[in-house]
Amino acid sequence: MPNNSTPKILPSEITDEQDYLNRREFLRLAGVATAGALLSTACQADVSNAAATAGKPAGESNFSGGSLGKLQKSPFSTDEKPNSYEDITTYNNFYEFGTGKDDPHRNSKDFVSKPWTVTIAGECDKPGAYDFDDLMKKSTLEERIYRLRCVEAWSMIVPWVGISMATLLKRFEPNSRAKFVKFTTLHDPEQMPTQRRRILDWPYVEGLTIAEAMNPLTIMVVGVYGKVLPNQNGAPLRLMVPWKYGFKSIKSIVHIEFTEKQPLNTWQISAPQEYGFYANVNPDVDHPRWSQARERRIGTGLFGEKIPTLMFNGYGEHIAHLYSGLDLAKHF
Amino acid sequence: MRLLKTLVFVVALLPAAKLVLASFAIAGLSLGANPVEELLHEAGEWGLRFLLITLAVTPLRRLTGMNWLIRFRRMLGLFAYFYLVAHFLIYALLDQRLALGPIIEDIIERPYITLGITALTLLTPLALTSTNAMMRRLGSRWQRLHRLIYPAAILGVWHFWWQVKEDIREPLIYAAILAALLGIRVWHRQKGQNRRVATPVD
Ligand code: HEM
């Protein structure tokens, strides 16, 4: 039964309640979800009850989609109109659940993302296994409305909910040898059907330089549209680096390692001539098989016109300095 | 036979009808979040399917002795061409919105597009000479000309193969079917059984 449904939160911990996550609500939902995953039929009553309180249709037993409460706004958010929740949650690249765009939302329905442990290792003073809920307890949830540009030349506007990556990573006290951060996705062929076939070198791995990871734009995403992150979008936590192609923003992370050497990311292993380590959005450097100069904005229908792709996906003012002196055509 | 032909005609149009309905969100159908891509992919796949079905007619006729199958070959081939022209038009009109620069750049610089356009170009004279009158006029040259369907099909599968990212299962299936269909012909020829009689077509 829910083992953390009545969390003890000190009043001092509840900072500026209006602007921040309503943690009590978050944890209560989290607890219910654990129960829901373990005892989906036995706990049907509790679950539908909680779902109703959270403003969801009663009877929906999946935790994904629960409300995250009040969120802090961010100056980094774009004022472009976000894509619909449906587009964001039915058009996904998440190869672990299938290579078609509609595979992830169909094949990830029973994915268990609670409880969830993230292990921290490498060049830091606080390695260890951390419970996702414990990590979230101490975090300020922000809404970040970002452009998302896929390497396949389509894009979306997504209202992510996340926490500052820098704040999160500093908690593990990386040392001076930590030059890169390596992220790893869950490896669980039972739950992730495509991992039973070797189309990629599982588990999925991505990496950032420590400066990229610590940049204020970089966030760890735990939700979308004010709700808990759906499984097909990388529940319970995924990276978001909005100036890079989407494949850099690794999903369902179970392992974070601070390294001295540049990690090899999965797509680079798979096709080094097509995908590099940096993968910065760049309209001037084409993919060997298609142009990156323009992109199709999802949601513009049959007659929507492709729009020009922006250098660094339009985020250059915040991050271009990270690449001064780097030949971006060579380090694609 | 007339009834059967009408039936095949209607069935062959069903995928197109479904796509048209979905384009206008009729009958609860939808093209999803990226409708242009969905149309492009569906038309391309149906074009390739009809190409392979057309190539299956002769081996099937030889294997089963059902010679009347040949009467469907022209219609099936024209449906392949129909879906592939639609595929090209979706690319040119909806995907590229007739932006000539990018289209030409694609054709020259993207090998998979180069393959696709070559395949479609090879198929065009076949569609144009598919009438009885043309068949009579060209005589034995007609058959030689229509062997262009073999390289076109190979290029079509190759084009599919080159545009997928990592999961080559689907193009692999099409490649295997094409290899079988061409293999049967080679085998047949080696057995010296293929007396090429000018095929009677209605
Ligand atoms: C015999 C001729 C052709 C055949 C058999 C063919 C077949 C296909 C197939 C099966 C697909 C993949 C569909 C999927 O992934 O489900 C495809 C994709 C595509 N084809 Fe063709 N095609 C042909 C000609 C052309 C031509 C002439 C063009 C444009 C000039 C073209 C442009 C494309 C494009 C842009 C894609 C999508 C690529 C992507 O999504 O990244 N094709 N085609």
Side-chain angles (χ1 to χ4, degrees), chain A residues 87 91 95 99 152 197 199-200 267 270 275 286-287 289-291 294 296 298-299 301-303 305-306, chain B residues 23 31 33-37 39 94-97 99 102 105 110-112 162-167 169:
Chain A
D87 283 354
Y91 191 79
Y95 272 23
T99 51
E152 297 165 348
R197 299 191 287 130
I199 61 165
L200 286 175
W267 278 104
S270 163
Y275 311 99
D286 284 345
H287 186 279
R289 285 182 286 162
W290 57 83
S291 163
R294 295 178 302 150
R296 178 168 298 287
I298 300 301
L302 265 183
F303 305 104
E305 194 164 359
K306 286 192 183 176
Chain B
S23 298
L31 293 173
N34 193 343
V36 177
E37 178 191 58
L39 279 185
L94 295 180
D95 191 50
Q96 301 293 333
R97 298 183 113 234
E105 190 189 306
R110 321 275 161 223
Y112 83 93
W162 255 1
Q163 55 92 28
V164 298
K165 275 216 293 189
E166 247 13 69
D167 192 4
R169 260 188 318 178

Side-chain angles (χ1 to χ4, degrees), chain A residues 5 21 104 162 169 301:
Chain A
S5 58
L21 162 69
L169 293 183

Side-chain angles (χ1 to χ4, degrees), chain A residues 21-60:
Chain A
L21 162 69
N22 182 337
R23 266 170 274 138
R24 192 175 294 273
E25 166 95 328
F26 183 89
L27 291 171
R28 194 178 49 75
L29 277 166
V32 168
T34 317
L38 295 174
L39 304 153
S40 55
T41 42
C43 284
Q44 206 61 52
D46 302 40
V47 171
S48 48
N49 206 351
T53 344
K56 290 202 309 164
E60 197 178 326

Side-chain angles (χ1 to χ4, degrees), chain A residues 234-249:
Chain A
L237 78 166
R238 54 102 40 102
L239 175 66
M240 184 45 60
V241 263
W243 70 93
K244 291 176 181 285
Y245 292 123
F247 71 86
K248 289 297 290 183
S249 290

Side-chain angles (χ1 to χ4, degrees), chain B residues 40-41 44-45 84 87-88 91 112-113 116-117 119 159-160 163:
Chain B
L40 186 64
H41 283 190
E45 283 208 42
L84 291 171
H87 179 64
F88 173 71
Y91 163 81
Y112 83 93
I113 300 270
I117 200 83
H159 157 83
F160 187 6
Q163 55 92 28

